[in-house]
Amino acid sequence: MQRTAAIRLSGILNTVSKRPLVSNIPTTATLFHKKRMSSFSVKTLGAQEAIELDKELMGPEGGYSLDQLMELAGLSVANTVYKVHPLSNGERILVLCGPGNNGGDGLVAARHLWHYGYKPTIYFPKKGKNEIFERLSTQLRGLGVPFTEDYEAALKETDHIVDAIFGFSFTGTTIRAPFDAVITAMKSSKAPTTSVDVPSSWDVENGPPSEGPGKDFQPENLISLTAPKHLTRHFKGRHFLGGRFCPPYLQEKYGLDLKGLYQGVDQIAELPAAE
């Protein structure tokens, strides 16, 4: 009897010792972060400020290349999709890319999403002139990621949409083909959408258009890059900030208080909803 009891006790102790010590009690740091985030406010930037900030990041003092900024931006986009649309919600991701830098961010995000276990498909009808777009496309083809010309069929077969068509450099109200029809179809899709930096067709300063294909377009998620833009005052969904690379001297120059925003190794942070 004593031997049997000893064996049982030994088995229980071995089982307990192999279990990970996970505590559901939030740490002081976590509680402080949640309290700070509940009232966190990041200054928004207009189109010209965003352009100037990018130039400074890629200038002599900033030292970044376009490749680096696209890589970091695309990583933030991929992490946002992983956050709002886990694999259990469906692995098919349609990435809609435009000819500007936003399209490059979308291509990078697709590569990371493939490595996360998703099955991205790319719609990229008009490539930018910079050779970086061809290199990013080559990387995706090497992974077997398909490019499609039939966005309508792709929208019907996807579980989640990444809107990387237009960024903060978009101006005017006229949207040329094929993107006018693409935005209309995206807006009508039942699949949730994550927009990159700017919901496509929105004015950076004033938000959604009052007419045209983007009228009433309100994506479920938005990932702002480096800093939110003025348009976020009109956004109603889940809002994230990414691009964890802005040096302190530029944060100070542009009035960005990002201290304590990101936790641990996180590349994105969810911001409070606009009031």
Side-chain angles (χ1 to χ4, degrees):
M1 291 292 291
Q2 290 179 346
R3 177 179 174 81
T4 302
I7 292 173
R8 288 178 178 173
L9 179 60
S10 176
I12 292 171
L13 291 174
N14 285 335
T15 301
V16 171
S17 67
K18 293 177 181 178
R19 291 177 180 171
L21 297 176
V22 178
S23 173
N24 292 323
I25 301 174
T27 64
T28 302
T30 300
L31 291 172
F32 175 80
H33 181 75
K34 287 183 177 180
K35 183 178 179 180
R36 174 163 167 72
M37 288 306 299
S38 65
S39 59
F40 198 93
S41 177
V42 180
K43 177 189 173 184
T44 60
L45 301 181
Q48 190 57 42
E49 283 183 301
I51 291 171
E52 291 172 359
L53 177 54
D54 262 13
K55 286 182 178 178
E56 293 206 59
L57 285 167
M58 291 186 284
E61 290 188 53
Y64 285 94
S65 66
L66 179 60
D67 294 57
Q68 286 178 297
L69 293 184
M70 276 190 183
E71 187 65 31
L72 291 165
L75 178 61
S76 295
V77 175
N79 287 3
T80 300
V81 174
Y82 186 83
K83 180 80 171 179
V84 302
H85 185 87
L87 278 164
S88 57
N89 287 2
E91 57 190 9
R92 299 171 301 176
I93 307 292
L94 176 61
V95 185
L96 303 173
C97 297
N101 289 347
N102 249 38
D105 299 341
L107 295 175
V108 172
R111 170 162 42 78
H112 286 292
L113 288 168
W114 185 91
H115 285 290
Y116 293 170
Y118 293 91
K119 293 181 178 179
T121 295
I122 311 298
Y123 176 73
F124 193 26
K126 294 185 178 182
K127 296 180 182 178
K129 296 180 181 179
N130 195 308
E131 50 84 29
I132 188 176
F133 295 102
E134 186 56 44
R135 288 192 283 109
L136 292 173
S137 299
T138 298
Q139 293 167 11
L140 290 168
R141 292 191 185 96
L143 297 174
V145 174
F147 284 69
T148 183
E149 296 182 359
D150 189 350
Y151 66 86
E152 291 181 309
L155 281 168
K156 294 176 182 178
E157 298 172 354
T158 194
D159 300 306
H160 195 90
I161 303 165
V162 174
D163 163 30
I165 301 174
F166 298 132
F168 61 73
S169 59
F170 173 77
T171 57
T173 56
T174 302
I175 301 175
R176 297 179 180 179
F179 296 115
D180 52 350
V182 174
I183 291 173
T184 298
M186 174 174 61
K187 182 176 66 175
S188 302
S189 174
K190 295 181 180 179
T193 298
T194 295
S195 288
V196 179
D197 211 22
V198 176
S200 289
S201 79
W202 281 35
D203 181 86
V204 177
E205 311 289 340
N206 302 311
S210 58
E211 58 184 13
K215 182 182 179 181
D216 299 324
F217 174 46
Q218 184 74 230
E220 286 76 7
N221 314 288
L222 173 66
I223 169 66
S224 293
L225 299 171
T226 311
K229 314 307 181 286
H230 290 337
L231 61 85
T232 56
R233 291 175 293 203
H234 303 275
F235 179 67
K236 300 176 182 178
R238 294 183 70 180
H239 183 199
F240 296 83
L241 182 63
R244 191 179 180 179
F245 50 74
C246 189
Y249 75 93
L250 286 180
Q251 292 183 35
E252 182 177 355
K253 180 175 181 178
Y254 287 87
L256 304 174
D257 179 16
L258 304 181
K259 186 177 180 181
L261 176 64
Y262 299 100
Q263 273 199 307
V265 298
D266 291 347
Q267 296 299 307
I268 59 172
E270 185 164 6
L271 300 178
E275 297 181 357

